Amino acid sequence: MIETIRRLLAEAAAAKQVRAYWETVAGILSEQAGGAGVELVYAGVNEASTVVAGPAGRPGDPVVVRWEDGKRRVQATFASMSPGVTVEDLQSCLDVASQLAITVGRRAELERERRLGSFLIELSRWLLATPDRDLLLRYTMQSLMSLVGAEGAYVALREPQAEELRVVIALGLFEERKGMVLPLAASTTGRVVRSGQPLVTANIFAEPDAYPPASSSGLACSMMLTPLQTSAGVVGAAGVIRYRKPDQPPPPTFSLGELHYFTAVAAHIASGMELAQAVQSSRESAQRAAAMVNASPLPMALVDPHGRVLQLNAAGRAVFGLTEPEAHAGTTLQELGLSASAVAFRDVLARASFHPPWHGRVVVVPPSGDRRVCDCTVTVLSGLGSDNILVALYDRTDELRAQRELIAREKLATVGEIASGVAHEVNNPLAAIRMEAELLKRGTRDAETEAAASTIVREVDRAARIVRSLLRLARRADTDPTRVQVHDLVRDVAEIRERVLRADNIEVLTKFDLSVPPVLGLGQDLQQVVINLVTNAEHAVRGLKPAVIQLTTESREGWVRLTVEDSGPGVPKEIRGRIFDPFFTTKSPDEGTGLGLSICHRVVAEVGGKMWVEDSETLGGAKFVVELPAAPDRVDSETVG
């Protein structure tokens, strides 16, 4: 039973999709029932299906166990049950598997949302970067095929003044159908366009209006279709297809979550087609330009030649920190917090009237103080019979932050490689010095000489410990989470920094709770957290008397707490809500980038931990607290019976 639960936990940790997880679970349950065949029917919030495992038709009465939690339901029907296996055991296993399935589903949904968010950001750039409709559609559908695991994709648009659709983009296994004409009134794609409703089908050839018609022996495939809705109505449909491979069962049907995902992207495809058409045509009305600004996912503002804001879309209001739709009335972009990096923004607006569109870098600082770095395009809408100016922004803050983090990591890796090389080189002379000191100690009867030799041996051993700590600090980063002992991380950092800090009259204290369990994470990332916190504490206490840094670990009911305290001035309460924001720093530009605590906070959050700052009751300065979940206990296979 314990071994079965351990396998369920391992499969839940590794599973990427809910269906794949349940397919594995069905096999595990079949084994638990003594090899009996099992049919497992599950229905979640966004996905439902049936999976089977084990042989069918064994003699015996079927056994049914169920689990239910609100809208989530699971039923496992066993063809029979071997002696020694109880219904209670099967029910317990199904309960555990069902609870773990919720975690797998949530993780898959979070990953889907993350990928969707990244894709929509990139798609937003394409909306401004290219006016070519087919290039936009091809790029989008190629990305969609990869994101939902499809082997084919296409886009069919309505032909002007005709009751038919034409496939304008065809990719993957559907590529040969490019240019194909589909009747609007007698095809599945036409039905989606006519109704304006998306469609998911497990077998497109089983649909009554499949075109061209196919017999029941045709190649079955799963398809997801969604209409392309623009302000002018439904202009076409986009579809993605999963094909059945030879001698393989039919592919899985697209889930409800994937349909939501697809319809969200389809809305951006339609917006992109509209925007592309507007960019290509300078004969559209000013009202159409205003609609484009309002519908764009990018921050956009329409201003007059003096820079006063006439219209600001929702994305623009979010960047400038405005909550009311008309909060920008009568103000300029400069008053809202926008400034260009090279010249005054009013000069940019004036220059745009006589030159091609201006492209440059700007900074937006809303009242909240959350500084955003954006690429900016300024275009005069003279072709629309107006001298109004369109200002479009693309937020580069997160991208630049990632670049700076990458540079910082590369620098750290370089320093680590140098430290590793130096440590290896130092080891050899240290060994020689220690050997000579030992020989000197054994070959002399002079007490003073013997004491000096003992001192040399002791100091060489201490230097060797520092070298070993350097080698651990310089090791390559883990690629998979491992069990990490926080004590080792703290000891390594303290061993390296203690002597240097002592030269600056800074005292380093460590206090270890020996009952602290290991945590699960990437060792070098967690090590970077300790280094950053100690470095910040050094900066806070340098030059003070007393100058003390204390590192403490303790176990707290399934959590491991690490605290780094100092005797410095502390962190003012008015900025505590911002110290973990990227690029926020109280140091000078030569001393810090404002990324250290942001990286620490992200690393801790990625392993399910928490991090905050409070006042130190013992030292009087700042106290940074990191709480990490303890690693799950390993199941000893020898004790499982």
Side-chain angles (χ1 to χ4, degrees):
M1 180 69 179
I2 295 177
E3 177 62 19
T4 299
I5 293 176
R6 184 188 68 79
R7 291 179 62 191
L8 290 173
L9 287 169
E11 292 299 334
K16 302 296 184 184
Q17 299 294 333
V18 172
R19 180 178 176 85
Y21 167 75
W22 279 118
E23 288 175 347
T24 305
V25 168
I28 294 174
L29 292 178
S30 175
E31 294 178 19
Q32 179 68 17
V38 58
E39 179 186 73
L40 198 152
V41 181
Y42 66 91
V45 176
N46 295 320
E47 188 172 343
S49 187
T50 300
V51 296
V52 295
R58 283 182 55 181
D61 296 329
V63 177
V64 179
V65 291
R66 298 181 178 87
W67 176 90
E68 185 171 350
D69 181 13
K71 296 182 178 180
R72 301 181 177 93
R73 297 182 303 279
V74 182
Q75 175 177 301
T77 303
F78 297 85
S80 62
M81 189 167 59
S82 298
V85 180
T86 66
V87 175
E88 288 76 15
D89 287 344
L90 298 179
Q91 183 67 59
S92 298
C93 291
L94 184 65
D95 291 346
V96 172
S98 301
Q99 293 291 343
L100 292 174
I102 297 176
T103 301
V104 174
R106 288 174 177 169
R107 186 170 65 233
E109 185 67 24
L110 287 173
E111 176 63 14
R112 184 184 299 113
E113 293 298 327
R114 183 193 68 78
R115 296 170 70 190
L116 174 60
S118 300
F119 175 58
L120 292 182
I121 290 174
E122 189 64 22
L123 178 58
S124 298
R125 297 186 67 180
W126 275 76
L127 297 184
L128 287 183
T130 175
D132 186 273
R133 183 201 67 185
D134 288 355
L135 184 61
L136 173 66
L137 294 176
R138 176 174 290 276
Y139 162 79
T140 306
M141 299 308 293
Q142 281 177 336
S143 300
L144 273 172
M145 285 174 59
S146 173
L147 291 172
V148 301
E151 293 86 23
Y154 71 96
V155 175
L157 300 180
R158 295 187 71 159
E159 291 281 80
Q161 310 300 323
E163 292 299 307
E164 59 187 18
L165 304 165
R166 183 175 297 275
V167 176
V168 297
I169 295 295
L171 303 172
L173 298 180
F174 200 80
E175 186 172 10
E176 62 183 19
R177 301 296 182 92
K178 183 177 180 181
M180 179 180 181
V181 175
L182 304 173
L184 185 62
S187 66
T188 308
T189 308
R191 190 210 319 169
V192 170
V193 173
R194 296 194 315 272
S195 65
Q197 298 297 317
L199 170 71
V200 174
T201 177
N203 182 357
I204 185 60
F205 293 118
E207 296 296 318
D209 48 6
Y211 185 87
S215 66
S216 58
S217 61
L219 180 64
C221 58
S222 175
M223 178 177 286
M224 181 165 54
L225 282 163
T226 186
L228 298 177
Q229 177 81 47
T230 69
S231 59
V234 180
V235 298
V240 289
I241 313 165
R242 289 173 180 161
Y243 287 87
R244 186 179 64 187
K245 298 177 178 62
D247 301 324
Q248 294 290 327
T253 305
F254 290 100
S255 66
L256 181 59
E258 288 171 325
L259 179 61
H260 290 164
Y261 185 8
F262 190 25
T263 53
V265 174
H268 280 72
I269 294 175
S271 297
M273 292 172 59
E274 244 187 320
L275 184 58
Q277 181 181 0
V279 170
Q280 291 174 342
S281 174
S282 61
R283 295 171 293 181
E284 297 289 343
S285 65
Q287 183 179 5
R288 181 63 176 268
M292 285 168 31
V293 170
N294 282 332
S296 173
L298 297 180
M300 288 190 178
L302 195 66
V303 302
D304 66 15
H306 303 288
R308 285 188 293 269
V309 180
L310 304 176
Q311 188 174 352
L312 190 64
N313 67 352
R317 291 195 297 272
V319 167
F320 289 106
L322 303 176
T323 56
E324 298 297 328
E326 299 301 325
H328 59 272
T331 61
T332 65
L333 290 177
Q334 299 94 309
E335 292 171 339
L336 291 177
L338 185 146
S339 59
S341 57
V343 296
F345 196 70
R346 60 177 178 273
D347 295 335
V348 171
L349 296 177
R351 188 179 304 173
S353 301
F354 307 100
H355 297 282
W358 180 86
H359 305 279
R361 181 68 55 81
V362 298
V363 176
V364 176
V365 184
S368 64
D370 183 17
R371 185 173 180 268
R372 312 300 295 177
V373 180
C374 304
D375 284 347
C376 178
T377 300
V378 179
T379 307
V380 177
L381 304 179
S382 56
L384 301 177
S386 169
D387 57 358
N388 292 335
I389 301 172
L390 178 66
V391 179
L393 303 176
Y394 172 65
D395 194 340
R396 296 285 304 279
T397 308
D398 294 336
E399 181 181 337
L400 294 173
R401 179 194 314 160
Q403 290 176 356
R404 296 183 71 172
E405 285 190 23
L406 178 60
I407 292 172
R409 287 178 178 271
E410 289 177 348
K411 288 182 178 178
L412 180 63
T414 302
V415 172
E417 290 178 5
I418 295 174
S420 178
V422 171
H424 281 294
E425 291 297 327
V426 169
N427 260 333
N428 293 330
L430 283 179
I433 293 171
R434 193 183 193 286
M435 182 177 66
E436 294 295 334
E438 288 284 0
L439 292 175
L440 177 62
K441 181 178 177 182
R442 296 173 187 171
T444 184
R445 296 183 179 179
D446 182 65
E448 185 175 346
T449 302
E450 184 178 356
S454 297
T455 301
I456 293 173
V457 171
R458 186 174 61 255
E459 290 302 308
V460 166
D461 288 342
R462 198 177 72 82
R465 288 197 305 272
I466 294 175
V467 168
R468 287 194 296 271
S469 297
L470 275 173
L471 288 172
R472 285 195 295 269
L473 283 171
R475 71 182 185 272
R476 290 188 177 272
D478 302 320
T479 57
D480 296 312
T482 59
R483 295 167 69 88
V484 180
Q485 181 54 260
V486 177
H487 289 162
D488 295 339
L489 302 181
V490 174
R491 253 190 226 103
D492 288 345
V493 176
E495 187 79 40
I496 297 298
R497 300 298 300 164
E498 186 174 11
R499 190 63 175 260
V500 177
L501 296 178
R502 191 178 302 158
D504 291 336
N505 296 317
I506 298 175
E507 183 180 5
V508 178
L509 305 176
T510 56
K511 183 179 178 183
F512 296 136
D513 179 355
L514 298 181
S515 66
V516 165
V519 299
L520 196 63
L522 300 181
Q524 189 153 330
D525 283 354
L526 295 176
Q527 198 171 64
Q528 187 64 39
V529 172
V530 180
I531 293 173
N532 285 351
L533 293 180
V534 171
T535 301
N536 281 354
E538 292 177 24
H539 184 272
V541 302
R542 183 167 284 115
L544 300 180
K545 292 184 179 180
V548 182
I549 300 173
Q550 179 169 304
L551 294 91
T552 306
T553 62
E554 58 180 313
S555 179
R556 298 176 65 87
E557 296 183 357
W559 293 82
V560 174
R561 172 175 286 193
L562 165 68
T563 59
V564 180
E565 304 176 66
D566 61 64
S567 59
V571 179
K573 287 183 170 57
E574 58 269 18
I575 67 170
R576 288 186 184 179
R578 301 174 57 199
I579 61 172
F580 297 113
D581 292 344
F583 305 114
F584 178 83
T585 180
T586 58
K587 302 175 184 177
S588 67
D590 294 333
E591 294 178 321
T593 63
L595 284 172
L597 288 178
S598 171
I599 294 173
C600 291
H601 192 271
R602 177 179 57 76
V603 169
V604 171
E606 284 177 351
V607 297
K610 299 172 286 187
M611 181 177 178
W612 68 90
V613 63
E614 58 189 42
D615 294 325
S616 172
E617 298 178 356
T618 56
L619 300 182
K623 177 180 180 181
F624 283 86
V625 183
V626 176
E627 282 195 350
L628 303 171
D633 293 335
R634 291 174 173 169
V635 178
D636 189 350
S637 59
E638 295 180 358
T639 64
V640 178

